[in-house]
Structure formats: C-alpha cells, structure tokens
Amino acid sequence: MNNTKDPLKPYGERSLNYIIENAIKKNWELLAFSDIGGSNYKFSEVAELIEKLHILFEAADVKPGDKVALCGKNSSAWAMTFIACLTYGAVAVPILHEFKPDSVHNLVNHSDAKLLFADKAILDKLEENKLPNLVGAFYMMEEGIAFSRSKKLTDARQDLNELFGKKYPENFSPQSICYFRDSPQDLALINYTSGSTGEPKGVMLPFLSIWSNIRYSIDKLTFLKPGDGMVNMLPLGHLYGMVFEMLHPFVKGCNCNFLTKAPSPRVLISAFAQIRPKLIITVPLVIEKIIRANVFPKLQTTSMKILLKIPIINNRIYAKIREKLVETFGGRIQEIIIGGAPLNAEVESFLYRIKFPITVGYGMTECGPLITYEPPKESRPHTVGRIVDRMEIKVDSPDPAHVPGNIMVKGDNVMRGYYKNEKATKEVFPKNDGWMNTGDMGLISPDGMISISGRSKTMILGPSGQNIYPEEIEQRINSMPFVAESLVIDDDGKLVALIFPDFDTAKKKGIDRAQLDNVMAENLKTVNKELEAYSRLNRFEIVEQEFEKTPKRSIKRFLYQR
C-alpha cells in the first residue's frame, strides 16, 4: 500500500483522498453517519473502522487497483466500507442490492473482485462455488466472515482488535491518518449501471471524476456547514446517492442519516422533522408524491379555486403554502435538487409559482454523475441548468437552440470507459477525441441553459421521418387527472400510452373502474389537442401495477417495448 508521507501540496491539488483525509481530521468529534433509529458514528469512529478494514484488505493481499465489491442496502456500514476502499486505493465495485443472486455472481466475477462485502440477506443467497475468484466475503453490518479462502485473512478478522492495537500502540488520533495518495487517472470505482434501456455496463470512473464532482459541490453549495444533517434516501449503489447525497456532505463535516425504511411520504416527513436538513437531494417521484398527497388536494376545493383567481390574495396564499411546505421538509430547507428523471410539469410549474427553492439537474453514471446544474434562483422551468465546472457540452444539431440533437460532453467528470467492453466504449466515444455521446437528445439556449428532449434510444421515428420523443408526451399525460405515471410506446407504427392510474385518489373521489376508463379517454383527447398530428396517440391501455423501475426511479422502458 502506498502510504508514504508525501508533501501535502502535490497530494492535495486534485486529490479526492486529500479532501477525505482533511474532512475526517477537522471533524473528529462530530457525528458523520447515522442509521435512523440505529447506530451513530463520529468521524473518529469512521476513521477507526476504515483502518480496521485496511488491515483486512492487507491480509487478503489486496493491492491498490484491486477490486472490492459492495452489495447492500443503505447503511453507515456501506458508506464506511466504500470510503475505506477509496482511501486504501482499492477499486470499489458497488452492486445494487436489488439485483438477483445470479446477477450478483456475474458482476462480482466480471469485475475481478477479490473481496465482497454484502448484507447477510444477500450473502446467504449467494453460492461460494459460483464466486471462485474471491479471497473472502464479509457480512456488511456485522463485519463477520461469510467465507474465506485465506488463513491469513481468517486470522486477521479473528484478531482484528489486537492487530489494530499493535498498529497504533499509543493512541489513535487525527495525526495517525495517512491515506492512499491518489493520482487523477487512478481508477476509483466501477459502477454497474442499472440501465433503463438494457443490460448493466461497468462504468470505470477515475479519482479525477469523483474529485471534480466533489470540488464542484464544495464550491457551489456553500450553505452546508459542519454538523448539518442530511436525510439520505437515494441508493448508495448509484452515483447520485453515493457522491452527492453521501460523500459530498461527509467531506463538509455533515451528519448523513440513512433511512432504514422504504422512503414513503410518511417516513420521509418524519425524518425531515427529526433531521431538519438544509439540503435535500432526491428524484422526482419522492417530491411528486409529497406534493400530490399534501398540497394539491387543498387547492382543489371550490373556495380555494376562487381565491387563487384574485390578485394579491393569491400571492398571500402561495406564500402561506410555501411556508407550510418548508415546514413539511423540516423548516430549514434552502435547496432541493431533483435529478434522475424529468419532474412532472404540473408539479414543477406549481413549485416555481410559489417560489420554492427547487432546481433540476442533469447527470449520468458515466460522469460521476454531474453534467449540468443551476442554483434555484437562476434555474428555469423545463431546463436542467448549465454545464458544470471543468466540463464542456455541445448539442450535435444544425440549430442547437431549436432542433434537438445528441448531447455530447467532455471533461474531468467523464469516465474512462466500460470495463471489459471496448465495443460499448467506442459507441459512446465515436471519434475517440474525448467527446462522449450521452445518449440523450436536447437543446441548448443562447445563454447556455440545457433542456432534455429524451433518450436517443427511445426516440420514435414518425410516419414521415419526424423525431418523436416519448418523454415529452409522457410529461403531458402525467399532468392529467388521476394519472400516476405513463409510458409511450410504438406498437406497429401506432403510438400507445400505457397508463398507471392514481387508483388511491380515484377511490377517494368515488370513481370506479368504468369511470376511470372514461377519464383516461378524455385525458387522451386533451393531450392529443396539444400535440402535432404526427405525434398524436392512437389509444391508451391501463396497467394495473406500477412500472418496474431502476434504483434511481427511472422506468425500465425496455421491459415494455413491443
């Protein structure tokens, strides 16, 4: 392990581990990680566990650049194990805990991982003989060995506290810490994308990518201070939750609080009241559920509809709603960042109308993850902000402000490629000049604001060669009465809307299934009036179950194509 005490300046200029090391030293006695309703860990305790994991890595003969896989639900243990990998120089391989055992076997083997840390419920379903390259596997929370093929590793786990005591015989203090000196192009992690359009691919992200994302968050989100609390609801196995919701506040000395229950509106509102966060990082579905359940019903009363049409009074009502909504999110909220998917147009319009501090960003795993962002005061509806620092962006179109084209990006955030998949790498770097094709279609305004039209892979070719972006039609459908979510597909040249209704609201309103069909038929007529002739819907189909989604809550579109 490279642990020599190099001068700090070259170590710190573009080093992620320099930022992590200094964050731990500066915030030694503050709380770092908490499992809501469970254990709490100070930065000093996180540092101690990191050192113990480093001892286990050494016993397993893990070298910098070797792979260590993680597969588990959100927890303090997951976060600490991940940071232990970074600070040792091992390549972390997060695997989403929703994956089935066969998929976990395949990804652990494909990544060439030497060690696996996983939840007991996951490890107990795996078969040791199907993981031939592992030196050992550990239970994430208990840190116990599930199996080991190394006597040295088995002994090290058994004598871990004794080995730690021998390594630090006097005491363990901030001065004891000296982490792996990462270089910008050293591989930091391989993240297997969940894929809303197909099979997972292993995204290779260098330390530079993660450092650049963290550096941007330090420079731009300056209101977060040591000791502030975060409610962590996004999956740590995905870059959005891993980097921006966990690692970014961690290096600022904040306390990350991991939900131990599914993030329902009731669970979240309780957590917000307890933690009182200044910043919330989430996906559209979470915000939409809270607004639809707690706000919209109150605006639908006859008296409220009348009052909202009266100037001055409507502004006072909106101010009161904003105040109540701020309280719903804990009372101290300064910014909510939405990512992962488009925000429902009706919800977005409402939040802008009441001047709520919300902004929609854009990113992808391949950029670790951030591509565009704009603070709430500068953000605009239906846009996702401007390109972030150390990145370039262009839209491959003859008229980028009016005609959608492929969004291309280049810069420090961009991945090195897909692990063991040269074909897929060449597809996204078509000219081998550093420019990556995101696979998204969009526009760029003269002042640099980006708007997303849809995925190039989901684009449907119209009858006369027109480009139809189903996401744009879905936005309109999702704003219609009693629609929870929708998916527009091409069925033998006909555009069909698959609609999952808001059955709960319909039931509360006394609307039966036959009436609901009529409502959807009217919705279809309304939407079609707003669309160009070539992109109008032929029919709709009601689906009985919520669409299957990736962990970042994007619909797995490929499952519903015909």
Side-chain angles (χ1 to χ4, degrees):
M1 180 179 176
N2 181 1
N3 217 15
T4 57
K5 298 206 173 189
D6 301 336
L8 282 181
K9 188 176 179 183
Y11 172 40
E13 281 181 349
R14 286 155 73 85
S15 166
L16 177 62
N17 281 337
Y18 176 72
I19 294 174
I20 293 173
E21 182 176 315
N22 277 282
I24 292 174
K25 288 177 176 178
K26 287 179 183 177
N27 302 291
W28 195 251
E29 291 301 324
L30 293 179
L31 277 179
F33 295 132
S34 300
D35 298 314
I36 295 178
S39 302
N40 299 293
Y41 300 88
K42 293 180 178 180
F43 279 84
S44 58
E45 294 168 318
V46 171
E48 182 174 328
L49 183 66
I50 286 171
E51 293 301 327
K52 288 180 177 179
L53 287 170
H54 287 182
I55 289 171
L56 293 178
F57 292 170
E58 289 177 5
D61 197 32
V62 172
K63 304 284 196 306
D66 286 343
K67 321 305 189 296
V68 175
L70 301 82
C71 187
K73 293 182 179 180
N74 283 13
S75 67
S76 298
W78 196 108
M80 291 186 285
T81 305
F82 174 75
I83 295 173
C85 292
L86 293 177
T87 53
Y88 185 88
V91 178
V93 183
I95 297 173
L96 296 163
H97 73 273
E98 291 93 345
F99 283 166
K100 294 178 181 176
D102 282 349
S103 295
V104 176
H105 290 143
N106 290 337
L107 296 182
V108 170
N109 293 331
H110 184 269
S111 69
D112 303 309
K114 276 193 170 182
L115 292 176
L116 168 64
F117 290 80
D119 290 349
K120 189 175 189 302
I122 294 167
L123 265 176
D124 287 351
K125 293 177 183 176
L126 301 182
E127 299 177 47
E128 183 179 343
N129 65 339
K130 291 186 178 179
L131 300 165
N133 301 319
L134 285 181
V135 177
F138 288 83
Y139 296 113
M140 184 87 74
M141 297 299 292
E142 300 84 358
E143 300 165 39
I145 293 182
F147 67 82
S148 169
R149 297 186 173 106
S150 162
K151 184 177 185 305
K152 186 178 180 183
L153 178 61
T154 304
D155 291 345
R157 177 62 192 92
Q158 184 176 331
D159 303 326
L160 189 55
N161 289 331
E162 181 183 342
L163 292 171
F164 179 80
K166 286 180 179 178
K167 189 172 182 179
Y168 302 102
E170 299 299 323
N171 68 335
F172 183 65
S173 69
Q175 289 68 42
S176 306
I177 298 172
C178 187
Y179 292 146
F180 172 76
R181 278 35 180 154
D182 54 295
S183 296
Q185 289 307 317
D186 287 342
L187 191 58
L189 63 101
I190 298 172
N191 196 207
Y192 286 89
T193 63
S194 51
S196 59
T197 56
E199 289 299 310
K201 295 189 288 285
V203 176
M204 295 190 291
L205 290 169
F207 274 91
L208 176 64
S209 173
I210 310 303
W211 170 85
S212 182
N213 275 271
I214 294 297
R215 184 73 256 169
Y216 185 83
S217 69
I218 291 171
D219 293 341
K220 304 298 181 182
L221 301 172
T222 56
F223 56 86
L224 272 190
K225 305 297 180 186
D228 286 341
M230 287 286 295
V231 175
N232 295 72
M233 66 187 88
L234 300 174
L236 285 169
H238 192 274
L239 263 290
Y240 189 28
M242 179 201 307
V243 173
F244 270 91
E245 201 185 33
M246 183 273 285
L247 195 56
H248 143 233
F250 175 80
V251 302
K252 290 181 175 177
C254 300
N255 178 202
C256 295
N257 295 266
F258 300 104
L259 293 179
T260 51
K261 298 177 181 177
S264 67
R266 183 182 59 81
V267 168
L268 283 171
I269 289 170
S270 173
F272 294 147
Q274 177 187 337
I275 310 302
R276 304 188 70 225
K278 290 181 182 175
L279 173 68
I280 292 172
I281 297 175
T282 186
V283 292
L285 196 62
V286 171
I287 297 298
E288 289 165 10
K289 281 185 176 180
I290 290 173
I291 299 298
R292 289 181 184 278
N294 294 278
V295 179
F296 281 177
K298 296 171 185 175
L299 301 178
Q300 299 303 318
T301 63
T302 303
S303 58
M304 186 62 79
K305 286 180 179 178
I306 294 170
L307 290 172
L308 287 174
K309 291 179 180 178
I310 303 173
I312 301 176
I313 291 178
N314 61 0
N315 286 335
R316 289 177 184 170
I317 292 172
Y318 287 140
K320 194 69 177 175
I321 292 171
R322 183 185 186 282
E323 183 183 320
K324 289 287 187 184
L325 201 52
V326 167
E327 282 303 314
T328 298
F329 291 108
R332 296 204 309 159
I333 192 69
Q334 293 192 31
E335 185 167 335
I336 295 181
I337 301 175
I338 303 287
L343 182 61
N344 174 274
E346 183 185 14
V347 173
E348 183 182 47
S349 175
F350 169 75
L351 291 171
Y352 273 101
R353 197 179 311 134
I354 67 171
K355 297 179 178 161
F356 197 71
I358 195 162
T359 187
V360 179
Y362 164 57
M364 60 193 305
T365 301
E366 287 84 346
C367 289
L370 203 55
I371 296 174
T372 65
Y373 164 84
E374 199 68 20
K377 287 184 179 178
E378 282 79 45
S379 64
R380 295 203 291 260
H382 317 308
T383 67
V384 292
R386 294 181 173 88
I387 192 69
V388 299
D389 297 348
R390 296 170 294 279
M391 288 284 285
E392 300 174 62
I393 193 165
K394 64 182 180 181
V395 171
D396 188 9
S397 162
D399 184 4
H402 302 100
V403 179
N406 280 309
I407 297 174
M408 311 288 289
V409 294
K410 183 180 185 180
D412 286 1
N413 294 18
V414 178
M415 68 170 181
R416 281 173 32 178
Y418 296 112
Y419 191 58
K420 297 181 182 176
N421 196 335
E422 191 175 339
K423 180 176 180 290
T425 301
K426 285 181 178 177
E427 286 175 359
V428 297
F429 293 100
K431 295 183 179 178
N432 197 29
D433 56 359
W435 283 100
M436 185 183 76
N437 186 348
T438 64
D440 291 312
M441 305 289 285
L443 301 169
I444 182 166
S445 68
D447 64 347
M449 292 292 278
I450 303 294
S451 55
I452 308 297
S453 304
R455 295 285 295 169
S456 59
K457 286 185 178 179
T458 64
M459 186 188 76
I460 298 169
L461 203 61
S464 300
Q466 306 96 332
N467 293 341
I468 301 169
Y469 300 99
E471 293 90 344
E472 293 180 345
I473 304 173
E474 289 156 12
Q475 281 271 25
R476 296 174 188 266
I477 298 170
N478 293 347
S479 296
M480 293 291 105
F482 305 107
V483 176
E485 56 186 358
S486 64
L487 192 66
V488 173
I489 63 170
D490 180 7
D491 186 8
D492 196 23
K494 306 288 186 182
L495 290 181
V496 178
L498 306 181
I499 299 174
F500 175 60
D502 185 347
F503 287 113
D504 291 340
T505 301
K507 186 177 180 182
K508 288 176 185 175
K509 297 280 187 180
I511 296 174
D512 61 25
R513 181 54 189 271
Q515 291 171 313
L516 195 57
D517 284 347
N518 292 334
V519 170
M520 294 305 158
E522 287 302 313
N523 287 345
L524 191 74
K525 289 179 184 177
T526 303
V527 169
N528 275 340
K529 286 177 184 177
E530 300 172 356
L531 297 172
E532 299 291 343
Y534 65 82
S535 61
R536 286 177 187 152
L537 297 159
N538 180 264
R539 67 179 191 279
F540 72 91
E541 296 176 13
I542 287 182
V543 298
E544 303 296 329
Q545 301 292 329
E546 182 178 337
F547 294 109
E548 190 171 337
K549 297 183 180 67
T550 70
K552 69 171 185 176
R553 307 302 293 167
S554 299
I555 295 172
K556 291 185 176 180
R557 308 183 75 94
F558 64 94
L559 295 178
Y560 301 94
Q561 301 307 317
R562 295 178 182 174

